[in-house]
Structures are given as structure tokens and as C-alpha cells.
Amino acid sequence: MTDQAPEAELDIPGKPTSASRTTLSHIMTHGDTNLLGTVHGGVIMKLVDDAAGAVAGRHSGGPAVTASMDEMAFLEPVRVGDLVHVKAQVNWTGRTSMEVGVRVLAERWNESTPATQVGSAYLVFAAVDADGKPRRVPPVIPETERDRRRYQEAQIRRTHRLARRRDIRELRERRVAEGFED
Ligand SMILES: CC(C)(COP(=O)(O)OP(=O)(O)OC[C@H]1O[C@@H](n2cnc3c(N)ncnc32)[C@H](O)[C@@H]1OP(=O)(O)O)[C@@H](O)C(=O)NCCC(=O)NCCS
């Protein structure tokens, strides 16, 4: 069920998902808007990266840097005055990297309806040492059926990320070898 290096599981104790799960909440202001008057996507992306970074730091017990962000989805516009909640948790861990899943919810300032989901994203963080070199992370221990599903889905994304990277690298190398690009 896991593609972690066996030694990663042997001598670093695991940490449950709930130990690092984090929610970051923020009220949107006029300074956050785009030309249409709704909240700029980059403002939400920053909050997503902040929340995911806090989770990665908590889980790994030290500094962690964003290696990639994918599948950032904006489902509904966010408006000035909305209270945005960014919920993040470790979905999966490898040897030195972690996938953090993030859901973005908005409580509309002028409606009494429950918070609606307005976005989501998956980020990979690498835990690093003082020299910026990758360091080992504790294996995450999924606690609920939802955590276990997210772990399995993260493994699928991990496989696709690695395959896509390898295929693109091979294509570029082939084109250089064939003299199309230098
Ligand atoms: C992320 C970083 C530490 C990776 O360093 P590296 O020398 O390539 O090390 P590795 O190849 O061993 O990768 C480390 C881990 O990150 C994962 N990783 C690296 N790049 C990745 C990417 N683009 N997507 C997904 N995972 C990635 C690797 O799979 C590996 O995971 P594993 O140990 O669990 O198998 C390095 O590229 C870096 O410092 N990047 C800049 C990060 C940064 O500054 N972010 C803030 C944005 S300004």
C-alpha cells in the first residue's frame, strides 16, 4: 500500500494525520480583489501555500519547502468580506516529501448559509535540513476511512507526477539527441 523506502518506516515513528491538520482563516478585504472586484486567485493560492506549509512544518518537525502545487481548482468566486477557511492535512508521505491536500471554504459575509467549498489543491513539500537538503519525514498514519482514501488517491497522483516528469525529460533528451533543439 506504500511506496516508502522500508528504512523510512523502520526508525522514524509515524505521526497521525490529526497531529498536523491545520485551518487558517482570513477575512477578505478590498486589497485582495482583481479588476472584476472578486478576490484575486493569487491571494487564495498564497493562503493555500501558507496553510500547507504550516502542516508540512508541523508534520516533519522542521522546515519544509514547496516542491510543487497541482490541481489548484477555483470552484466559486470569493468576495470582499467573506471569511475564508483554508483546511490542510498531510495526505501521504514519502521518504523526504509529503503531499498536503487543501480545501478552501468561504463563509459569505451577507448570508447565513454554511461555508461553501470554493477551491482545492494538492501540494508537495520537501522537508529540508539547515543546508536546504532533503531530510527524512515521519510516515503519516491515516486515522479515518477518509484519510485512508486520501492516502490512496495521493499515491495515484504521485505515480502520475513521476511518470509525467520522466516522460517529458525523455522527450526533451530525444529531441536534443535528434538535433531539433540544443
Ligand atoms: C524541493 C527540493 C528540496 C528537492 O530537492 P532535490 O535535490 O531535487 O531532491 P530530491 O530529488 O531527492 O527530492 C526530494 C523529494 O521531493 C520530491 N520532489 C522533488 N521535486 C518534486 C516535484 N516537482 N514534484 C513532486 N515531488 C517532488 C521527490 O520525489 C523527493 O521525494 P521522496 O524523498 O519522498 O521520494 C529542491 O528542488 C528545492 O529546494 N526547490 C526549491 C523549493 C522552494 O524554494 N520552494 C519555495 C518556492 S520559491
Side-chain angles (χ1 to χ4, degrees):
M1 172 170 152
T2 166
D3 68 355
Q4 285 170 334
E7 71 273 23
E9 291 174 1
L10 282 180
D11 57 14
I12 300 191
K15 273 195 192 174
T17 316
S18 59
S20 57
R21 187 179 281 127
T22 298
T23 300
L24 190 142
S25 299
H26 201 81
I27 293 182
M28 295 294 126
T29 67
H30 286 287
D32 297 322
T33 57
N34 57 30
L35 293 175
L36 298 172
T38 54
V39 169
H40 181 49
V43 169
I44 302 295
M45 289 169 81
K46 165 93 166 60
L47 294 176
V48 165
D49 192 34
D50 287 346
V55 165
R58 274 183 177 174
H59 181 82
S60 68
V65 292
T66 318
S68 76
M69 178 190 269
D70 53 34
E71 296 186 39
M72 178 78 233
F74 298 99
L75 307 172
E76 305 240 6
V78 178
R79 302 186 194 93
V80 170
D82 288 352
L83 177 57
V84 168
H85 304 287
V86 186
K87 295 173 177 271
Q89 73 170 59
V90 173
N91 285 340
W92 172 91
T93 45
R95 183 179 159 76
T96 65
S97 68
M98 303 150 269
E99 186 197 88
V100 180
V102 181
R103 291 195 309 133
V104 186
L105 299 114
E107 275 182 59
R108 305 301 187 184
W109 69 273
N110 55 350
E111 294 172 14
S112 57
T113 50
T116 39
Q117 185 169 350
V118 293
S120 59
Y122 301 102
L123 298 90
V124 176
F125 277 77
V128 291
D129 63 19
D131 298 321
K133 297 274 176 286
R135 65 184 166 86
R136 301 256 300 278
V137 296
V140 70
I141 304 170
E143 295 166 286
T144 64
E145 279 311 313
R146 181 176 288 185
D147 294 339
R148 281 186 272 281
R149 172 180 57 75
R150 287 174 173 165
Y151 189 100
Q152 289 169 9
E153 290 177 0
Q155 281 186 304
I156 295 171
R157 280 186 293 274
R158 158 88 170 178
T159 305
H160 283 260
R161 278 186 205 110
L162 293 180
R164 189 178 52 195
R165 217 158 47 149
R166 187 197 56 232
D167 289 351
I168 289 175
R169 193 174 52 235
E170 285 173 5
L171 172 73
R172 289 183 181 182
E173 285 168 2
R174 213 165 41 243
R175 285 180 60 81
V176 169
E178 290 166 355
F180 291 112
E181 294 181 61
D182 47 14

